[in-house]
Amino acid sequence: MIFSIENILNPEEIEFIVENLSQANFVDGKVTAGWHAKLVKNNAQLEKTSKPYSDLETIVKKALERHPLISSAILPKLIHSLLFSRYEIGMSYGTHTDNALMGKPNYWRSDVSFTVFLSCPSSYSGGELVMESTDGDRAYKLEAGSAIVYPSSMLHRVEPVTEGVRLVAVGWIQSLVRDPAEREILFELDTVRRSIFSKDGKTLEFDLLSKTHANLLRKWSE
Ligand code: NI
């Protein structure tokens, strides 16, 4: 499942992040790309050892963790390998797949990828995130503060920026439940039981669905 989530970051958080990025040191994005992705990755990213990195990383992680759709649909165990990327005119990231395991020697798994848009879409041209699938391509260019969350198993690319600057935060989530089909079942059960609760309260149906949700989570989580 692909989710577009509005307003993950509030305007103050966006302003704080963008302001800090405007004064920070960026390096070539190839340093964190896999050997094949390096061939098509052409962007700049915030140096992880630079001063604002850990503060900015915390803001984005907390924003994702507090969002109810992320906790229900993605079931994060770990949000990791966060990058702040900058695409100037002519920069792009060609078709690639994200590494399955990151953060050597920890080997965090990438089950789900996310992009949090930080620039106002009217401030730059191009720079769409394109998801590639068997029935064609779909391009995303969201408002500043909104995020797209998608399976890390998908091929994707970033179109060349032709005007302005595209700033994004990207990162990966290791889910408690590795199988996307199992995550989908848990998400739907959770959605239904919450809907029953909001309509009728803590009924027997709610309790039975909660029990099934909990038992499947117990069975599938790792
Ligand atoms: Ni990618």
Side-chain angles (χ1 to χ4, degrees):
M1 287 185 287
I2 300 177
F3 296 99
S4 287
I5 308 176
E6 289 181 352
N7 304 319
I8 280 255
L9 295 171
N10 64 42
E12 294 75 37
E13 290 168 329
I14 301 166
E15 196 185 331
F16 183 81
I17 293 171
V18 171
E19 171 64 23
N20 272 275
L21 291 180
S22 73
Q23 301 163 15
N25 196 29
F26 279 69
V27 294
D28 189 336
K30 289 189 201 303
V31 291
T32 54
W35 61 269
H36 46 94
K38 261 188 183 70
L39 303 173
V40 289
K41 187 174 185 183
N42 175 22
N43 66 6
Q45 66 200 25
L46 179 63
E47 204 168 22
K48 282 205 172 179
T49 53
S50 75
K51 195 164 153 274
Y53 178 83
S54 65
D55 286 347
L56 304 187
E57 180 197 35
T58 302
I59 291 171
V60 175
K61 274 191 184 175
K62 286 209 164 127
L64 289 156
E65 280 162 0
R66 75 182 170 225
H67 199 283
L69 183 60
I70 302 268
S71 32
S72 179
I74 311 297
L75 298 157
K77 181 172 188 177
L78 188 70
I79 299 172
H80 62 86
S81 311
L82 207 91
L83 300 170
F84 293 88
S85 302
R86 188 175 72 202
Y87 291 75
E88 292 164 24
I89 293 172
M91 290 183 168
S92 63
Y93 196 162
T95 300
H96 66 281
T97 185
D98 294 337
N99 286 343
L101 300 171
M102 299 181 182
K104 210 170 162 183
N106 299 298
Y107 295 112
W108 299 311
R109 206 175 55 239
S110 62
D111 295 314
V112 175
S113 307
F114 61 85
T115 294
V116 182
F117 291 78
L118 298 170
S119 305
C120 172
S122 61
S123 70
Y124 62 101
S125 301
E128 295 85 357
L129 172 65
V130 180
M131 311 304 309
E132 303 181 9
S133 67
T134 48
D135 68 342
D137 293 353
R138 175 137 188 224
Y140 296 87
K141 186 172 182 175
L142 306 185
E143 292 297 325
S146 297
I148 170 139
V149 181
Y150 59 97
S152 300
S153 54
M154 292 186 77
L155 282 172
H156 55 279
R157 66 179 188 269
V158 177
E159 297 287 43
V161 168
T162 56
E163 249 185 304
V165 174
R166 174 191 193 260
L167 288 174
V168 289
V170 301
W172 292 269
I173 302 174
Q174 178 171 328
S175 175
L176 290 162
V177 176
R178 138 197 334 235
D179 181 348
E182 292 173 353
R183 282 203 302 274
E184 189 169 338
I185 291 169
L186 289 166
F187 175 48
E188 288 173 359
L189 283 172
D190 192 38
T191 304
V192 172
R193 83 190 172 106
R194 284 173 192 279
S195 164
I196 288 174
F197 189 89
S198 70
K199 273 188 234 153
D200 304 317
K202 192 176 166 304
T203 60
L204 178 60
E205 289 81 0
F206 171 83
D207 284 342
L208 280 173
L209 276 173
S210 291
K211 181 182 155 212
T212 303
H213 181 270
N215 285 340
L216 287 175
L217 185 57
R218 204 170 280 122
K219 190 178 167 77
W220 291 336
S221 61
E222 53 187 52

